[in-house]
């Protein structure tokens, strides 16, 4: 297993990329700290390449100006850095997911925009293709001002294109968006799934027998207590994005929901934080 995170000294604002490789029994094979190049590193996705190397995608924050800078790093089987590329689109950009492209290279998704204290006229869902050396082949930005529109998950579509799960803010509520693109990132169709005054934060898209499942959380505003109720949620859609069902799961109060995943037997697994007291 390869695990990516970050590490830093106490009172030190810059955190560096921290990698640990484990064997099948959980023993540490090696651990590495990669040079952050002046950026606070936040890895979000790992892809193993055909030659046994790894690509790691995420963002690096420049603390003194609070800008995000999207990056992808390639390391070999022993954790040595082969290349490290940063990508600048609009001033504050980050990547959230990365997969092999259907026609070679890789597809990354995330957000392109500006920081909160500047103009939010450029808030865009970001889709980018890179080649095997990390060079940008093309990128697409779908702009909607002051929406915070961010892509969180991308998977291959059955016809060779891509399915992209994203979220944007509509009247202060988080609304999930499912976008179908072709191989060049051109949008073929797009569906949104609002739920009244409730917010939905889905961050993982998986393929199912009937279509697709959006995995994440459903947030209900409790007017009587001025609080929010967080629940694990699965939103199921057909292959054309038509809504099939919306499932909410009961349980203890959840404070934060992590990134869910599909399981080999066709189920789902959800990590998160339970609030006590």
């Amino acid at each position: 297993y390869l695990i990516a995170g970050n590490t830093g000294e106490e009172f030190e604002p810059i955190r560096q990329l921290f990698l640990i490789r484990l064997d099948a029994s959980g023993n540490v094979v090696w651990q590495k700290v990669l040079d952050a190049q002046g950026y606070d590193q936040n890895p979000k996705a790992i892809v193993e390449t055909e030659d046994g190397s790894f690509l790691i995608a995420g963002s690096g924050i420049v603390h003194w100006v609070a800008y995000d800078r999207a990056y992808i790093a390639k390391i070999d089987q022993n954790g040595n850095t082969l290349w490290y590329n940063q990508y600048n689109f609009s001033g504050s950009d980050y990547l959230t997911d990365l997969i092999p492209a259907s026609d070679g290279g890789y597809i990354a998704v995330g957000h392109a925009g500006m920081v909160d204290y500047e103009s939010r006229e450029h808030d865009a869902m970001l889709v980018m293709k890179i080649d095997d050396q990390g060079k940008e082949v093309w990128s697409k930005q779908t702009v909607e001002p002051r929406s915070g529109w961010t892509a969180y998950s991308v998977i291959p579509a059955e016809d060779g294109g891509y399915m992209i799960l994203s979220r944007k803010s509509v009247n202060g509520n988080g609304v999930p968006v499912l976008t179908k693109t072709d191989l060049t990132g051109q949008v073929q169709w797009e569906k949104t799934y609002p739920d009244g005054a409730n917010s939905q934060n889905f961050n993982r898209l998986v393929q199912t027998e009937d279509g697709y499942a959006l995995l994440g959380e459903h947030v209900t505003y409790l007017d009587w207590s001025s609080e929010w109720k967080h629940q694990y949620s699965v939103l199921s859609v057909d292959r054309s994005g038509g809504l099939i069902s919306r499932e909410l799961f009961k349980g203890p109060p959840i404070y934060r929901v992590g990134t869910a995943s599909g399981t080999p037997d066709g189920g789902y697994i959800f990590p998160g934080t339970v609030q006590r007291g």
Side-chain angles (χ1 to χ4, degrees), residues 14-133:
I14 299 298
R15 293 188 175 271
Q16 295 180 309
L17 188 61
F18 184 42
L19 302 172
I20 303 177
R21 185 160 188 172
L22 308 176
D23 63 19
S25 300
N27 301 307
V28 175
V29 178
W30 52 255
Q31 57 187 30
K32 298 272 186 174
V33 176
L34 273 63
D35 182 11
Q37 300 189 13
Y39 292 86
D40 186 16
Q41 302 293 299
N42 293 295
K44 291 294 183 181
I46 302 176
V47 170
E48 185 173 8
T49 64
E50 292 183 355
D51 62 2
S53 302
F54 299 92
L55 296 185
I56 302 161
S59 67
I61 299 175
V62 187
H63 278 272
W64 52 92
V65 292
Y67 285 129
D68 284 288
R69 182 65 55 83
Y71 75 85
I72 299 176
K74 185 175 184 178
I75 63 170
D76 65 18
Q77 298 180 26
N78 298 313
N80 301 308
T81 303
L82 301 176
W83 48 258
Y84 178 98
N85 292 342
Q86 293 182 345
Y87 308 90
N88 189 15
F89 297 99
S90 60
S92 189
D93 318 296
Y94 54 89
L95 302 176
T96 57
D97 200 11
L98 176 72
I99 63 170
S102 304
D103 55 352
Y106 300 87
I107 295 291
V109 299
H111 173 79
M114 301 301 293
V115 292
D116 288 337
Y117 57 76
E118 294 186 347
S119 171
R120 301 306 298 270
E121 289 302 312
H122 189 103
D123 257 349
M125 179 180 74
L126 171 66
V127 184
M128 174 180 67
K129 182 178 181 180
I130 62 170
D131 62 19
D132 290 336
Q133 299 303 312

Side-chain angles (χ1 to χ4, degrees), residues 38-266:
Y39 292 86
D40 186 16
Q41 302 293 299
N42 293 295
K44 291 294 183 181
I46 302 176
V47 170
E48 185 173 8
T49 64
E50 292 183 355
D51 62 2
S53 302
F54 299 92
L55 296 185
I56 302 161
S59 67
I61 299 175
V62 187
H63 278 272
W64 52 92
V65 292
Y67 285 129
D68 284 288
R69 182 65 55 83
Y71 75 85
I72 299 176
K74 185 175 184 178
I75 63 170
D76 65 18
Q77 298 180 26
N78 298 313
N80 301 308
T81 303
L82 301 176
W83 48 258
Y84 178 98
N85 292 342
Q86 293 182 345
Y87 308 90
N88 189 15
F89 297 99
S90 60
S92 189
D93 318 296
Y94 54 89
L95 302 176
T96 57
D97 200 11
L98 176 72
I99 63 170
S102 304
D103 55 352
Y106 300 87
I107 295 291
V109 299
H111 173 79
M114 301 301 293
V115 292
D116 288 337
Y117 57 76
E118 294 186 347
S119 171
R120 301 306 298 270
E121 289 302 312
H122 189 103
D123 257 349
M125 179 180 74
L126 171 66
V127 184
M128 174 180 67
K129 182 178 181 180
I130 62 170
D131 62 19
D132 290 336
Q133 299 303 312
K135 305 299 182 183
E136 180 184 333
V137 178
W138 53 256
S139 63
K140 308 287 184 180
Q141 298 180 44
T142 308
V143 179
E144 187 167 316
R146 296 174 295 280
S147 67
W149 198 348
T150 303
Y152 289 96
S153 185
V154 57
I155 63 174
E158 293 180 349
D159 64 355
Y162 304 100
M163 302 296 301
I164 301 169
L165 169 62
S166 62
R167 182 176 73 244
K168 61 182 176 180
S169 177
V170 179
N171 298 322
N173 299 320
V175 175
V177 183
L178 188 61
T179 304
K180 170 68 173 64
T181 75
D182 63 17
L183 280 173
T184 66
Q186 295 293 333
V187 174
Q188 295 181 321
W189 55 260
E190 198 162 75
K191 301 289 179 68
T192 59
Y193 307 95
D195 186 26
N198 301 315
S199 285
Q200 301 163 90
N201 302 319
F202 296 105
N203 53 21
R204 179 63 70 203
L205 179 65
V206 298
Q207 190 168 5
T208 65
E209 291 184 359
D210 299 322
Y212 304 94
L214 288 62
L215 310 180
E217 71 170 330
H218 185 275
V219 186
T220 306
Y221 179 65
L222 305 176
D223 185 57
W224 53 273
S225 64
S226 298
E227 295 181 353
W228 296 91
K229 179 180 181 182
H230 299 255
Q231 293 174 277
Y232 293 127
S233 178
V234 175
L235 192 151
S236 298
V237 301
D238 61 27
R239 289 179 175 82
S240 300
L243 180 64
I244 297 176
S245 66
R246 192 191 309 270
E247 302 289 341
L248 304 180
F249 298 93
K250 297 179 179 179
I254 298 170
Y255 174 70
R256 183 179 292 110
V257 172
T259 302
S261 179
T263 59
D265 61 357

